[in-house]
Amino acid sequence: MTELGWWGVPIAVLGGAVRVSTPFLFVSLGECITEKSGRINLGLEGILVMGAMSGYALSYLTGNPWLGVLGAGAAGLVLGLLHGLVCNLPRVNDIAVGIGLMLFGTGLAFFLGKPYVQPKAPTLPAMPLGGWSASPQVQAALEVNPLFLIGIGLAVALSWAFRNTRWGLIVRMVGDSSDAARAMGYAVPRMRTLCTGVGGFLAGVGGSFLSLYYPGSWSEGLSSGQGLMAVALVIFARWNPMHCFYAALLFGGAGAVGPALQSVGITSGYYLFNAAPYVVTLGIMIATCSPRRTLAGAPGELSINR
Amino acid sequence: MSDPIGRREVLKRLGVAGALGALAPYGPRSAQAADKLVVGVIYVGPRDDYGYNQAQAQAAAAMKKLPGVSVVEQEKVPETTDVQKTMGSMIEQDGATLLFPTSYGYFDPHMLKMAEKYPKVRFAHCGGLWTDGKHPKNTGSYFGYIDECQYLNGIVAGHTSKSKKLGFIAAKPIPQVLRNINAFTLGARSVDSKITTLLVITGDWALPVKEAEAANSLVDQGVDVLTCHVDSPKVVVETAERRGISVCGYHANQSALAPKGYLTGAEWNWVTPYTIHIQDAIAGKPMVNFMRGGLKEGFVRASGYGKAVVEGARKNADTVKAQMLKGEYVIFKGPLRDNTGKTVIASGTAFKQTEPLLEQMNYLTEGVIGKV
């Protein structure tokens, strides 16, 4: 392998953005749908971990990683529906239920996942999109997982659907004004439950990416808060699916800065570089927030806005 | 309608029964504690992590088979006041009289505080630097000179590497970790003094995504042999295998995870110190406060060589290993410079493995590209 030197940093950031962003992307798209309908599901971290576990377990048991992805989605769907149904009860706070679900999901995943820590499950294949380059580093950075591409497609489709389809408009109306939705004859609780379920499905798929592709094995320390960060990312992306995609790339790339700088010999201040994703978030939050107005694009029915 | 026992009475009786039921576990348990030695083992992570905690748990599992010993375990206990609560409940509720708190951060202040509170309980900590006069006699620390195996890893890596660049992914810059990095580098440079080790510090014991990123970055920089000091080397070993480079394992045997690239590995064998502590406790002998051992004493062992290991590497490593097994080999000897050019061990000085100064190591030797 040839020397790369300083070029290693941008390549690592690019590779990191492609590799690390997918779980962020799926969880934030799922949360975007949920929040557009007027609910917050903080439990996506638990769903992510549960998805990672069930995806790995199913892939190991059936030998087919794609079945694992589906199973992870199904597990996420069930947990998402659970959140949605519980929140339909009168005077239930969605944030509190979300925190409960987060603990429940991770706990359940750890409990059921014990037997799957040791075995090696078949993982998802990668698509080599870097064949045009002679550099093995670029080739490695551009090894793209199909889920990443599906995620991009989903982001585009969602942002189109929210604007142009009947279904998208109903979700937005339910999220912006439940009175208007009721007056139009739509069942608000049912819509929200469905949206939370779909959000859970996507978060579960995001979890399966962690265990089935990158880093590619199930262990209890697998998620270092990706699910929680993705929820924050939705606010950061102003409830816009395309922005969710950019934000996910940014987070993925920022996470790669710390290790990449150290491997080219920039060795001081690594704790600071490791904090890069959080610093980036804080910086943008401060730059875009104003005490004089509410966040642009925030669904009106979100409990944090009411 | 006759009502011989009123509702109130029923409730009262139920309450008494409930209270008795709640108390019941204490009776037999303390009786059990009297004739059986109850040993408590506390892990910082999950027991089956292919790494640090698994190595400890394997020893704990072996202890369960000893006659007159029962083992209670708790995993994923953070290095905070949580561990004090865990120790307290193991002592008070399970009747444990010998504890193995296995994580580095449990030692000071958590274990020392509990040792003051329970002077009759023995606390055997893994890896802490127990000092006579400073720390109580009912505490102690055991650790293995795994740097011997890391040195052997380094020799094999040095023979294997073509790019002359090795990679080391470390969790935190604490003395034990630095000692491993240095031993690995010294071993490799004993083969070829042009070899360098690129160091990436991730910042915590278990960060799978960051470890994978670090491994990929290092491979991109031309590293062709990788090793690590994190709690679970699984991710690093698998990533190295996927990128087609060689890897040396750590903590436990990971050869199954990298059939092509696994060279050898540094493994713990905690059965030895656990057995000594338990036998002393049963016999009522004072505990060995400062217990150390390497290859010779059976505290550590090297994984079998993988397919990719060349004949010369095997021969060289085996020769050094034979000397280590006799207790004759010195890894850290002067003149030794750190990677800023400062002399850290003067010429003519040779530190034996038992030297306490080595456990306060705060430098990286020449050839390591990185910073503490």
Side-chain angles (χ1 to χ4, degrees):
Chain A
M1 212 168 267
T2 46
E3 289 272 334
L4 203 63
W6 267 96
W7 274 106
V9 178
I11 285 180
V13 171
L14 170 73
V18 172
R19 286 186 295 252
V20 183
S21 61
T22 309
F24 286 126
L25 178 60
F26 273 88
V27 178
S28 61
L29 287 180
E31 181 69 4
C32 194
I33 298 176
T34 308
E35 291 194 14
K36 277 279 189 196
S37 79
R39 276 215 187 114
I40 294 179
N41 182 3
L42 275 187
L44 290 187
E45 170 77 14
I47 298 182
L48 177 95
V49 175
M50 189 64 200
M53 190 286 294
S54 35
Y56 197 74
L58 261 179
S59 166
Y60 173 67
L61 294 175
T62 64
N64 185 343
W66 289 107
L67 274 181
V69 174
L70 270 185
L77 180 71
V78 171
L79 287 180
L81 286 178
L82 178 72
H83 181 277
L85 291 173
V86 172
C87 288
N88 284 347
L89 302 172
R91 286 192 298 282
V92 171
N93 181 299
D94 52 350
I95 293 185
V97 174
I99 293 173
L101 187 66
M102 178 163 82
L103 299 173
F104 174 68
T106 43
L108 190 67
F110 290 175
F111 175 71
L112 297 174
K114 273 281 170 220
Y116 303 106
V117 176
Q118 295 282 340
K120 227 171 121 58
T123 51
L124 292 170
M127 291 158 47
L129 295 188
W132 48 270
S133 166
S135 148
Q137 289 90 345
V138 174
Q139 286 176 8
L142 287 178
E143 285 224 323
V144 172
N145 183 278
L147 277 181
F148 177 68
L149 300 177
I150 294 174
I152 299 177
L154 204 61
V156 175
L158 273 179
S159 65
W160 176 78
F162 276 135
R163 262 179 287 125
N164 297 311
T165 64
R166 183 181 177 77
W167 178 84
L169 290 175
I170 296 172
V171 170
R172 278 171 56 196
M173 178 166 62
V174 167
D176 266 332
S177 166
S178 59
D179 290 341
R182 253 192 306 267
M184 297 283 288
Y186 293 111
V188 175
R190 196 194 303 154
M191 274 313 288
R192 290 189 177 158
T193 308
L194 276 179
C195 286
T196 318
V198 173
F201 181 89
L202 291 181
V205 171
S208 72
F209 179 89
L210 281 178
S211 62
L212 290 177
Y213 184 68
Y214 194 79
S217 66
W218 158 247
S219 70
E220 290 171 20
L222 185 60
S223 161
S224 31
Q226 277 100 329
L228 274 178
M229 275 158 78
V231 173
L233 210 132
V234 176
I235 303 174
F236 172 54
R238 297 284 181 271
W239 296 271
N240 178 334
M242 276 321 282
H243 289 180
C244 283
F245 168 61
Y246 303 136
L249 279 186
L250 187 72
F251 266 59
V257 169
L261 281 178
Q262 283 189 66
S263 65
V264 296
I266 308 296
T267 49
S268 40
Y270 45 80
Y271 282 110
L272 204 62
F273 295 126
N274 283 344
Y278 314 100
V279 175
V280 169
T281 321
L282 257 182
I284 298 186
M285 281 298 204
I286 292 170
T288 55
C289 277
S290 159
R292 273 173 234 107
R293 55 181 166 79
T294 53
L295 295 174
E301 289 282 323
L302 280 190
S303 52
I304 46 166
N305 285 341
R306 266 184 307 194
Chain B
M1 223 172 109
S2 73
D3 191 0
I5 308 171
R7 191 151 51 129
R8 206 171 275 262
E9 187 63 20
V10 170
L11 282 178
K12 212 193 270 173
R13 285 186 193 180
L14 278 178
V16 170
L20 277 178
L23 281 173
Y26 294 98
R29 267 196 181 169
S30 23
Q32 179 195 32
D35 54 1
K36 251 190 164 187
L37 176 75
V38 182
V39 178
V41 189
I42 307 169
Y43 314 101
V44 72
R47 263 177 304 184
D48 36 15
D49 59 355
Y50 252 111
Y52 185 81
N53 297 294
Q54 183 170 326
Q56 301 277 359
Q58 276 168 354
M63 295 306 107
K64 283 181 195 159
K65 296 199 188 95
L66 293 181
V69 177
S70 80
V71 178
V72 287
E73 297 166 278
Q74 189 164 338
E75 49 179 3
K76 293 204 290 187
V77 180
E79 295 171 334
T80 60
T81 45
D82 278 8
V83 70
Q84 296 187 27
K85 284 181 208 149
T86 302
M87 288 187 212
S89 68
M90 279 180 169
I91 295 167
E92 296 282 356
Q93 291 182 18
D94 302 312
T97 49
L98 171 60
L99 290 183
F100 289 98
T102 61
S103 187
Y104 187 78
Y106 293 160
F107 186 72
D108 192 5
H110 309 297
M111 189 186 96
L112 295 175
K113 228 181 232 171
M114 296 306 278
E116 227 167 81
K117 198 169 160 195
Y118 297 101
K120 286 200 180 121
V121 176
R122 294 167 182 232
F123 295 82
H125 179 264
C126 183
L129 188 54
W130 188 89
T131 319
D132 199 15
K134 194 167 145 203
H135 298 131
K137 288 276 182 203
N138 63 326
T139 63
S141 82
Y142 63 93
F143 203 59
Y145 295 127
I146 201 151
D147 52 327
E148 294 176 359
C149 297
Q150 286 284 8
Y151 190 84
L152 297 175
N153 279 357
I155 293 177
V156 176
H159 279 283
T160 311
S161 176
K162 293 197 173 63
S163 68
K164 304 295 168 201
K165 275 178 166 184
L166 314 178
F168 201 113
I169 297 169
K172 293 182 181 186
I174 60 169
Q176 299 163 1
V177 178
L178 298 177
R179 188 169 173 175
N180 279 339
I181 301 167
N182 291 339
F184 179 73
T185 310
L186 288 173
R189 283 166 73 94
S190 75
V191 178
D192 182 344
S193 59
K194 284 198 293 292
I195 289 177
T196 52
T197 305
L198 296 180
L199 170 67
V200 173
I201 293 175
T202 58
D204 217 333
W205 295 112
L207 293 171
V209 174
K210 196 158 271 168
E211 287 154 16
E213 272 311 300
N216 276 311
S217 289
L218 286 169
V219 179
D220 286 345
Q221 286 302 318
V223 162
D224 61 358
V225 184
L226 203 57
T227 190
C228 62
H229 187 157
V230 295
D231 265 359
S232 173
K234 195 179 178 193
V235 165
V236 173
V237 172
E238 285 182 340
T239 310
E241 179 81 351
R242 220 170 286 157
R243 293 291 302 262
I245 64 160
S246 303
V247 63
C248 294
Y250 190 57
H251 290 314
N253 192 332
Q254 288 103 15
S255 55
L257 299 174
K260 272 188 282 185
Y262 196 81
L263 298 176
T264 177
E267 299 176 33
W268 301 106
N269 184 21
W270 292 128
V271 173
T272 315
Y274 274 49
T275 313
I276 299 174
H277 273 303
I278 286 174
Q279 280 168 351
D280 284 355
I282 291 176
K285 279 196 275 183
M287 79 185 279
V288 187
N289 299 109
F290 192 75
M291 192 192 290
R292 292 294 186 267
L295 279 167
K296 187 182 160 206
E297 292 81 7
F299 279 46
V300 296
R301 59 176 174 238
S303 317
Y305 297 116
K307 277 187 287 188
V309 180
V310 291
E311 189 50 39
R314 206 179 281 244
K315 225 179 249 168
N316 189 350
D318 279 342
T319 316
V320 175
K321 191 166 149 193
Q323 279 175 289
M324 283 175 173
L325 281 168
K326 277 188 253 165
E328 285 167 2
Y329 199 85
V330 179
I331 297 175
F332 294 97
K333 52 180 182 277
L336 185 70
R337 278 199 304 257
D338 71 5
N339 64 357
T340 60
K342 208 176 80 190
T343 303
V344 279
I345 300 178
S347 179
T349 316
F351 284 145
K352 273 196 285 189
Q353 286 293 69
T354 45
E355 171 64 46
L357 271 180
L358 289 178
E359 298 197 23
Q360 295 164 21
M361 196 170 275
N362 58 359
Y363 53 85
L364 292 164
T365 58
E366 199 177 2
V368 182
I369 300 173
K371 203 169 176 184
V372 177

